[in-house]
């Protein structure tokens, strides 16, 4: 059986490349090639820039409310096609249908809807200066680039295109080579909704295509989601043309469970924050610090629920709640971390092995894994694993656990479970992290800004402030009086 071959999406349509180069995309749950995609060669890259210039001229000249109406049509189409798009995400990423059906498309659509609503509300300022005055205009940046990771491919494309397009920019988006189809479907939807040709182009390929975007002198901003190491390379190359950057990078986030916490709720948060999307979420609370007096109760419940409630298998089966990791390579990487955890002396509470579920025997599954007796210096406690591997640590003193939780170069997220309202806020205010939860974990509504402290990122996505990251302020001074000149 031949598999489909997808082309790059440029200027409102598919564009064939000239090199003939393609790459294969596999379903992580079956290890089978499901389709091929053409690489964006220099012919496609040039076309992407030329059409984005033309698209930008048309789009940026439209009234914001007109752009808003078009984007809201796209939102409606996204919601209408939820199941079709969710299935693409399941086949590309290996995540369970149970999640994709109610999260991936909807949270993407929410963000476009949110920014479509905000666009007409963005205003400049006016101020008198004596009898003269000045005013400011919020103008779009021009052509922006988005580069996405593979864990939430369609959602990431929506989170970047929502504010970029609402503010009047054109966006050239490169999805991860592992998960390229969702962005193509989004491009088709934007086109159908009436977004002018060239305003949202999708270019396909691996690091080289990403590098081209970060170097191109025609691109004003790069919004990147991915690993810290790649993020540093992107910032370095964007510096060559002084591009604006937004960086959404990795984390190694702490969850603090105090002695007065609702333990069942804290276990729910720990499981969600380590096993949802089979552990492939940037904000995951992979370091769980539990107060000594409730430690045993916590790990007993955690072990029971992990062993009884997690159902791994064919991700399309609606009863499955735990999917396959993205690739064989990533599977091996995660298994390598588990081996390190064992070798460095952590106790394996549960999991720790590859899985071969009957309904998906060839998938890249790793059992939900919990290590206890962890210490702060262990590799599994220090490095982002991006898989279903949780490290549980003990603490006794509030100040000490805050110091330990902050003792990392990363600062994406943090959480605290306690019924003491003063302690909850006191502790969370001291967390060096950009996304924090009290008695909750993982929720990220369109209205809430998200982004990292320290090496977990630069700038924010979502929330009102993000629209500012896609505009530049023009100040205009108006002379109402005669110019005073010594010349
Ligand atoms: P990578 O950093 O490997 O890749 C991210 C994207 O960058 C991919 O599209 C990749 O292409 C591309 N790329 C690779 N090298 C370069 C380069 N030199 N220049 C420009 N682009 C390049 O991340 P992953 O895809 O492995 O995603 C997992 C990581 O993403 C984790 O660290 C996770 O924490 C982070 N993440 C952060 C989020 C946040 O909001 N903070 C959200 C989701 C994930 P290709 O893959 O095709 O090679």
């Amino acid at each position: 059986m031949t598999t489909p071959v997808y082309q790059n999406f440029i200027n409102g349509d598919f564009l064939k490349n000239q090199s003939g180069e393609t790459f294969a995309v596999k379903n992580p749950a079956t290890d089978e090639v499901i389709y091929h995609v053409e690489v964006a060669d220099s012919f496609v890259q040039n076309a992407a820039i030329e059409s984005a210039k033309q698209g930008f001229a048309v789009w940026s000249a439209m009234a914001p409310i007109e752009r808003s109406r078009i984007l809201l049509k796209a939102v409606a189409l996204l919601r209408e096609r939820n199941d079709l798009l969710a299935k693409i995400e399941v086949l590309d990423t290996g995540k369970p249908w149970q999640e994709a059906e109610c999260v991936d498309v909807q949270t993407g659509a929410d963000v476009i809807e949110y920014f479509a609503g905000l666009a007409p509300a963005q205003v400049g300022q006016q101020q008198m200066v004596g009898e003269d005055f000045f005013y400011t205009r919020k103008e779009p940046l021009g052509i922006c680039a988005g580069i996405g990771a593979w864990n939430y491919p369609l959602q990431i494309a929506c989170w970047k295109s929502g504010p970029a397009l609402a503010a009047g920019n054109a966006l050239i988006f490169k999805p991860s080579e592992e998960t390229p189809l969702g962005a193509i479907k989004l491009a088709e939807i934007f086109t159908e909704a009436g977004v002018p040709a060239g305003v949202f182009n999708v270019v396909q390929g691996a690091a080289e295509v990403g590098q081209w975007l970060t170097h191109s002198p025609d691109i004003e901003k790069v919004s990147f989601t991915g690993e810290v190491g790649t993020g540093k390379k992107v910032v370095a190359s964007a510096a060559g043309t002084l591009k604006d950057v937004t960086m959404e990078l990795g984390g190694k986030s702490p969850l603090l469970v105090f002695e007065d916490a609702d333990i069942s709720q804290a276990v729910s948060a720990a499981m969600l924050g380590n096993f949802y999307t089979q552990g492939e979420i940037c904000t995951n609370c992979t370091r769980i610090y539990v107060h000594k007096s409730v430690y045993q109760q916590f790990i007993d419940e955690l072990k029971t629920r992990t062993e009884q409630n997690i159902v791994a298998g064919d991700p399309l089966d609606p009863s499955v709640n735990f999917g396959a990791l993205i690739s064989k390579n990533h599977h091996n990487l995660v298994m390598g971390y588990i081996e390190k955890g064992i070798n460095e002396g952590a106790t394996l509470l549960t999991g720790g092995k590859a899985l071969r579920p009957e309904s998906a025997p060839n998938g890249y599954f790793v059992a939900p894994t919990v290590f206890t007796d962890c210490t702060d210096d262990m590799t599994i406690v220090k490095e982002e694993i991006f898989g279903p591997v949780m490290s549980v640590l003990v603490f006794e003193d509030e100040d000490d656990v805050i110091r330990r939780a902050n003792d990392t170069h990363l600062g994406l997220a943090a959480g605290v479970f306690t019924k003491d309202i003063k302690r909850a806020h006191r502790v969370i205010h001291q967390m060096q992290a950009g996304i924090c939860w009290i008695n909750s974990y993982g929720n990220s509504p369109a209205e809430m800004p998200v982004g990292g402290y320290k090496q977990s990122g630069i700038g924010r996505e979502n929330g009102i402030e993000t629209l500012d990251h896609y505009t530049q302020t023009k100040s205009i001074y108006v002379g109402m009086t005669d110019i005073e000149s010594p010349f």
Side-chain angles (χ1 to χ4, degrees), residues 26 31 59 104 119 174 187 272 316 336-337 350 396 405 412 469:
K26 279 186 171 184
D31 190 41
W59 188 239
D104 292 59
K174 187 198 94 64
L272 272 172
L316 284 171
Y337 272 112
T350 185
E396 289 185 72
L412 190 60
H469 296 312

Side-chain angles (χ1 to χ4, degrees), residues 267 271 275 296-310 348-351 368 370 372 390 392:
V267 169
M271 289 180 71
F275 304 143
Q296 197 57 46
Q297 185 191 348
F298 181 89
I299 60 171
D300 286 349
E301 183 171 338
L302 178 63
K303 181 172 160 60
T304 307
R305 287 173 59 183
T306 302
E307 288 173 358
Q308 288 180 359
N309 299 350
I310 288 187
L348 191 58
L349 181 74
T350 185
V370 179
T372 55
M390 183 194 307
V392 187

Side-chain angles (χ1 to χ4, degrees), residues 146-169:
I147 301 176
W150 42 254
N151 60 339
Y152 278 79
L154 178 68
Q155 187 209 60
I156 292 173
C158 291
W159 284 22
K160 295 194 187 306
S161 58
L165 267 55
N169 301 284

Side-chain angles (χ1 to χ4, degrees), residues 147-151 174-177 205-207 210-211 224-227 230 234 248-250 282 384 386 412:
I147 301 176
W150 42 254
N151 60 339
K174 187 198 94 64
S176 165
E177 212 187 3
Q211 280 162 1
F224 172 83
T225 299
E227 287 172 16
T230 320
V234 168
E248 294 290 342
L249 309 177
C282 52
E384 185 185 47
F386 221 57
L412 190 60

Side-chain angles (χ1 to χ4, degrees), residues 153-375:
L154 178 68
Q155 187 209 60
I156 292 173
C158 291
W159 284 22
K160 295 194 187 306
S161 58
L165 267 55
N169 301 284
L171 185 73
I172 303 178
F173 186 80
K174 187 198 94 64
S176 165
E177 212 187 3
E178 320 263 16
T179 56
L181 192 48
I184 297 177
K185 293 290 158 191
L186 179 63
E188 286 177 336
I189 284 176
F190 276 142
T191 304
E192 205 175 320
V195 171
V199 172
F200 183 75
N201 290 328
V202 179
V203 291
Q204 304 281 7
E208 314 80 66
V209 177
Q211 280 162 1
W212 159 69
L213 286 169
T214 60
H215 280 113
S216 168
D218 293 305
I219 289 172
E220 301 296 335
K221 175 188 173 93
V222 180
S223 176
F224 172 83
T225 299
E227 287 172 16
V228 174
T230 320
K232 287 178 185 171
K233 289 184 200 157
V234 168
V235 173
S237 87
T241 43
L242 283 179
K243 291 186 201 333
D244 192 351
V245 292
T246 296
M247 292 283 131
E248 294 290 342
L249 309 177
K252 190 74 194 175
S253 303
L255 177 70
L256 278 46
V257 182
F258 282 91
E259 62 276 20
D260 61 345
D262 180 326
I263 297 301
S264 288
Q265 285 285 298
V267 169
S268 296
M271 289 180 71
L272 272 172
N274 279 275
F275 304 143
Y276 204 71
T277 318
Q278 54 287 332
E280 296 167 328
I281 296 188
C282 52
T283 49
N284 272 358
C285 46
T286 45
R287 293 182 291 143
I288 312 272
Y289 292 89
V290 185
H291 192 270
K292 195 175 177 190
S293 61
V294 291
Y295 183 75
Q296 197 57 46
Q297 185 191 348
F298 181 89
I299 60 171
D300 286 349
E301 183 171 338
L302 178 63
K303 181 172 160 60
T304 307
R305 287 173 59 183
T306 302
E307 288 173 358
Q308 288 180 359
N309 299 350
I310 288 187
V311 186
D314 175 2
L316 284 171
D317 175 345
S319 67
V320 162
N321 61 19
F322 190 84
L325 295 182
I326 188 71
S327 64
K328 187 83 198 138
N329 274 349
H330 192 55
H331 181 272
N332 294 342
L333 195 94
V334 173
M335 290 305 296
Y337 272 112
I338 291 174
E339 209 177 302
K340 270 189 197 142
I342 294 167
N343 291 342
E344 291 179 14
T347 303
L348 191 58
L349 181 74
T350 185
K353 55 182 192 301
L355 290 179
R356 277 177 68 89
E358 227 173 88
S359 57
N362 299 321
Y364 317 129
F365 292 84
V366 171
T369 299
V370 179
F371 280 109
T372 55
D373 301 320
C374 297
T375 53

